[in-house]
């Protein structure tokens, strides 16, 4: 096996006895400490000659063993083990291999002794002394050993780091793929269950639709022409003359049974954008009652309270049946109130007209508001009144607790702030005919002219 010897320069300090020794003298000089004779020069020269006879001592070559022989060392790195390979092991082995090679050192194969002496003159050169037998066994060729510099080591470490990174990325991507596959499998199972549930519900829904009875289509009632008979030119002219300013203080008509005078000023509430007053409403209700009396088979049996009834029944002090007990005597009406099909009660709420209806035929209480409002106190008061009225006039006890109270929503509604009174009168008109509410806001101008015409003639058609 080869070894490395380091030659160091020799430096000897010469001894001065009035004469300097040769620089190659390495052994310690011998001195005589006797009495110096006059022939001191001769003795000193003999001493020098005697000392020079000794050969120069050469420092032995010191050998240092740096590493054992590794048969599998190739290209500066050991062969990786097939199993248990890791980045830390590779890094450690790389540094172990690099430890024995230096960039500023040169490998010299000494052939003879002269080359050894030449190499010993330079302290920075390492000498490799190899035995022949060991050289044949351990070193096959000079090409199997090479010097590794810093660039090679850094590139080698970078490649190892890249291998480790690729291994880590591959492991992480494989783990992510496994998780994604597991979540996809769970999702697929849930989707299959959800699809089965959807199919089951669709079949069930189809069965329910087939078993459901088909709704009976109601025949569409034809709207009669009577509520919408247009006015003639003569009738329109008469109405417009009544609306003129010269007839404001003139009494145009007087209703005898109710003793209500209708002047030009009172009738002007039927002009466009005007609010209806109590006189016009009460006269028109009297005309509706007279129409029923003339043709009882054509119209329902109804009773029409005037606009002051509910104010008497429910005042600021509360419900008071005694205040209206005499309003419906048999002598005044000629019939019992509980025998009517419908009872109409106009409600004035300050600046807004609404309608309450006692429907004896269908056993329910109705509330109609052209602004789609409701008030349960009104219907509760009328329910109590009907019970008191039946007991007072007929001696019957009517249990109205089982009657329905309905706030009608599907009805014609006003689109302005002044037609509420006209809507209320037309609710009464159409119900008394036994018709549905087949009108709308666009019919209000016509209904104003027609109502004025009927009041002037004191006859409702």
């Amino acid at each position: 096996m080869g070894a490395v010897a380091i030659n160091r320069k020799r430096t000897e300090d010469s001894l001065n006895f009035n004469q300097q020794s040769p620089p190659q003298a390495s052994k310690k000089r011998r001195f005589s400490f006797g009495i110096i004779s006059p022939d001191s020069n001769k003795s000193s020269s003999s001493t020098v000659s005697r000392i020079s006879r000794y050969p120069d001592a050469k420092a032995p070559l010191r050998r240092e063993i740096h590493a054992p022989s590794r048969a599998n060392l190739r290209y500066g790195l050991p062969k990786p083990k097939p199993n248990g390979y890791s980045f830390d092991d590779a890094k450690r082995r790389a540094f172990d291999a690099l430890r024995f090679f230096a960039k500023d050192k040169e490998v010299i194969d000494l052939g003879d002794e002269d080359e050894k002496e030449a190499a010993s003159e330079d302290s920075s050169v390492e000498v490799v002394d190899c035995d022949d037998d060991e050289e044949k066994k351990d070193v096959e060729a000079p090409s199997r050993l090479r010097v590794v510099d810093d660039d090679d080591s850094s590139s080698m470490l970078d490649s190892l780091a890249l291998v480790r990174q690729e291994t880590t990325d591959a492991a992480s991507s494989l783990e992510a793929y496994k998780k994604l596959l597991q979540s996809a499998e769970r999702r697929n199972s849930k989707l299959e269950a959800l699809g089965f549930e959807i199919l089951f519900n669709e079949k069930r829904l189809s069965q329910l639709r087939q078993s459901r009875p088909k709704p009976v289509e109601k025949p569409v009632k034809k709207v009669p022409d009577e509520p919408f008979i247009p006015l003639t030119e003569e009738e329109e002219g008469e109405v417009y003359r009544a609306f003129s300013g010269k007839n404001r203080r003139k009494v145009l008509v007087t209703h005898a049974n109710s003793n209500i005078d209708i002047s030009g000023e009172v009738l002007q509430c039927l002009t466009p954008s005007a609010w209806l007053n109590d006189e016009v409403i009460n006269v028109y209700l009297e005309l509706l009652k007279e129409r029923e009396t003339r043709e009882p088979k054509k119209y329902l049996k109804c009773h029409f309270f005037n606009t002051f009834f509910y104010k008497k029944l429910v005042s600021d002090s509360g419900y008071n049946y005694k205040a209206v007990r005499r309003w419906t005597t048999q002598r005044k009406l000629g019939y019992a109130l509980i025998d009517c099909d419908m009872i109409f009660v106009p409600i004035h709420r300050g600046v807004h007209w609404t309608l309450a209806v006692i429907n004896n035929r269908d056993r329910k209480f109705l509330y109609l508001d052209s602004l789609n409002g409701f008030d349960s106190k009104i219907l509760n008061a009328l329910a109590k009144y009907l019970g008191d009225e039946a007991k007072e006039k007929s001696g019957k006890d009517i249990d109205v607790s089982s009657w329905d109270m309905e706030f009608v929503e599907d009805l014609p509604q006003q689109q302005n702030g002044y037609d509420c009174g006209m809507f209320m009168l037309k609710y009464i008109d159409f119900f008394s005919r036994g018709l549905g509410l087949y009108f709308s806001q666009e019919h209000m101008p016509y209904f104003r002219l027609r109502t004025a015409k009927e009041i002037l003639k004191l006859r409702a058609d």
Side-chain angles (χ1 to χ4, degrees):
M1 175 177 179
V4 181
I6 301 174
N7 184 26
R8 298 182 179 178
K9 291 184 178 182
R10 296 171 301 169
T11 57
E12 297 289 344
D13 295 331
S14 61
L15 301 175
N16 293 325
F17 292 96
N18 297 323
Q19 196 170 4
Q20 191 151 3
S21 60
Q24 270 78 17
S26 61
K27 296 188 72 175
K28 192 173 182 181
R29 273 66 173 172
R30 296 179 183 180
F31 304 94
S32 174
F33 297 95
I35 299 173
I36 302 175
S37 62
D39 298 327
S40 58
N41 293 330
K42 294 181 180 180
S43 61
S44 62
S45 62
S46 61
T47 302
V48 171
S49 62
R50 187 172 60 248
I51 291 174
S52 63
R53 295 176 184 175
Y54 292 92
D56 293 335
K58 293 183 179 180
L61 294 176
R62 188 175 60 179
R63 300 176 180 271
E64 294 182 1
I65 298 175
H66 282 239
S69 175
R70 295 185 182 180
N72 61 350
L73 184 64
R74 189 175 184 182
Y75 301 112
L77 287 175
K79 294 182 180 179
K81 294 182 180 181
N83 296 326
Y85 174 78
S86 66
F87 177 81
D88 296 331
D89 294 337
K91 183 178 180 181
R92 179 172 53 78
R93 292 173 184 173
F95 278 115
D96 289 341
L98 293 174
R99 187 164 56 88
F100 306 112
F101 300 95
K103 183 177 180 180
D104 57 343
K105 293 181 180 181
E106 183 177 0
V107 178
I108 301 175
D109 188 9
L110 296 178
D112 53 2
E113 189 174 350
D114 295 333
E115 292 176 355
K116 289 182 179 179
E117 292 177 0
S120 64
E121 294 297 328
D122 190 1
S123 62
S124 63
V125 177
E126 293 184 359
V127 179
V128 179
D129 189 7
C130 302
D131 296 334
D132 295 338
D133 296 336
E134 292 178 352
E135 182 179 2
K136 291 179 181 179
K137 293 180 182 178
D138 299 333
V139 183
E140 296 178 357
S143 60
R144 297 184 63 181
L145 296 176
R146 68 186 180 96
V147 178
V148 182
D149 56 2
D150 293 339
D151 296 336
D152 294 337
S153 62
S154 62
S155 63
M156 191 182 307
L157 293 177
D158 292 341
S159 63
L160 291 175
L162 182 60
V163 171
R164 184 187 182 191
Q165 183 178 1
E166 291 178 352
T167 306
T168 305
D169 294 342
S172 61
S173 62
L174 180 60
E175 187 67 22
Y177 175 75
K178 289 181 179 180
K179 292 182 179 180
L180 183 60
L181 183 60
Q182 293 175 359
S183 63
E185 290 176 354
R186 290 194 299 268
R187 188 178 303 149
N188 290 336
S189 61
K190 291 181 180 179
L191 289 175
E192 290 177 359
L194 183 60
F196 174 76
E197 186 176 354
I198 291 173
L199 292 176
F200 176 76
N201 289 331
E202 287 180 351
K203 291 182 179 179
R204 187 177 179 183
L205 181 60
S206 63
Q207 292 176 357
L208 290 175
R209 287 177 178 174
Q210 292 177 0
S211 62
R212 182 184 299 174
K214 295 182 180 180
V216 179
E217 296 181 0
K218 296 181 180 180
V220 179
K221 292 184 179 180
K222 184 179 179 180
V223 179
D225 297 332
E226 291 184 0
F228 303 100
I229 297 175
L231 277 66
T232 63
E233 295 182 1
E234 184 180 354
E235 291 173 341
E236 287 185 0
E238 185 179 356
V239 170
Y240 288 131
R241 285 193 297 270
F243 288 159
S244 64
K246 62 181 182 181
N247 294 324
R248 287 179 59 87
R249 299 188 177 277
K250 181 180 179 181
V251 176
L252 301 177
V253 292
T254 301
H255 190 265
N257 292 334
S258 62
N259 197 23
I260 298 175
D261 295 333
I262 301 298
S263 63
E265 185 178 2
V266 171
L267 193 63
Q268 284 185 354
C269 70
L270 291 174
T271 57
S273 304
W275 291 357
L276 270 62
N277 52 40
D278 296 281
E279 291 85 354
V280 168
I281 292 175
N282 291 332
V283 166
Y284 187 75
L285 295 178
E286 291 289 342
L287 297 178
L288 292 180
K289 183 60 181 178
E290 293 175 358
R291 184 184 64 181
E292 175 199 332
T293 304
R294 289 195 309 267
E295 303 179 71
K297 294 182 180 180
K298 188 176 180 180
Y299 302 98
L300 297 178
K301 187 176 183 180
C302 302
H303 182 75
F304 306 89
F305 281 112
N306 62 27
T307 56
F308 304 107
F309 170 78
Y310 186 77
K311 293 180 181 179
K312 289 287 185 178
L313 178 65
V314 181
S315 60
D316 295 337
S317 59
Y319 175 81
N320 186 7
Y321 173 73
K322 293 182 179 180
V324 295
R325 184 177 58 181
R326 297 180 180 274
W327 284 46
T328 55
T329 60
Q330 185 73 22
R331 186 176 62 180
K332 287 184 177 181
L333 298 181
Y335 53 87
L337 195 63
I338 60 175
D339 295 334
C340 295
D341 295 328
M342 288 188 178
I343 302 171
F344 299 103
V345 182
I347 308 294
H348 188 238
R349 310 190 64 179
V351 294
H352 185 57
W353 290 100
T354 62
L355 177 66
V357 181
I358 301 174
N359 189 345
N360 291 330
R361 183 176 59 180
D362 297 334
R363 301 175 68 85
K364 63 173 60 175
F365 299 93
L366 304 177
Y367 185 78
L368 294 86
D369 187 349
S370 58
L371 293 178
N372 207 18
F374 63 92
D375 191 345
S376 58
K377 294 181 180 179
I378 295 175
L379 297 186
N380 290 331
L382 292 180
K384 188 175 183 181
Y385 167 78
L386 184 62
D388 294 340
E389 179 71 12
K391 187 175 182 180
E392 176 73 18
K393 301 299 190 301
S394 304
K396 297 179 181 180
D397 292 332
I398 300 178
D399 184 13
V400 296
S401 60
S402 61
W403 289 31
D404 294 332
M405 292 188 180
E406 181 180 352
F407 301 93
V408 183
E409 296 180 357
D410 186 14
L411 78 167
Q413 296 183 3
Q414 68 183 88
Q415 305 299 323
N416 52 44
Y418 46 81
D419 278 333
C420 56
M422 202 69 243
F423 272 88
M424 181 193 68
L425 289 180
K426 287 299 139 178
Y427 294 155
I428 298 172
D429 182 18
F430 277 68
F431 276 166
S432 64
R433 295 174 184 268
L435 300 176
L437 304 178
Y438 304 117
F439 61 90
S440 63
Q441 177 68 56
E442 62 182 7
H443 296 105
M444 291 301 113
Y446 162 75
F447 287 149
R448 284 180 176 267
L449 293 177
R450 176 169 175 154
T451 302
K453 184 264 297 185
E454 292 175 341
I455 290 176
L456 291 174
K457 290 187 176 182
L458 295 176
R459 181 184 176 92
D461 297 325

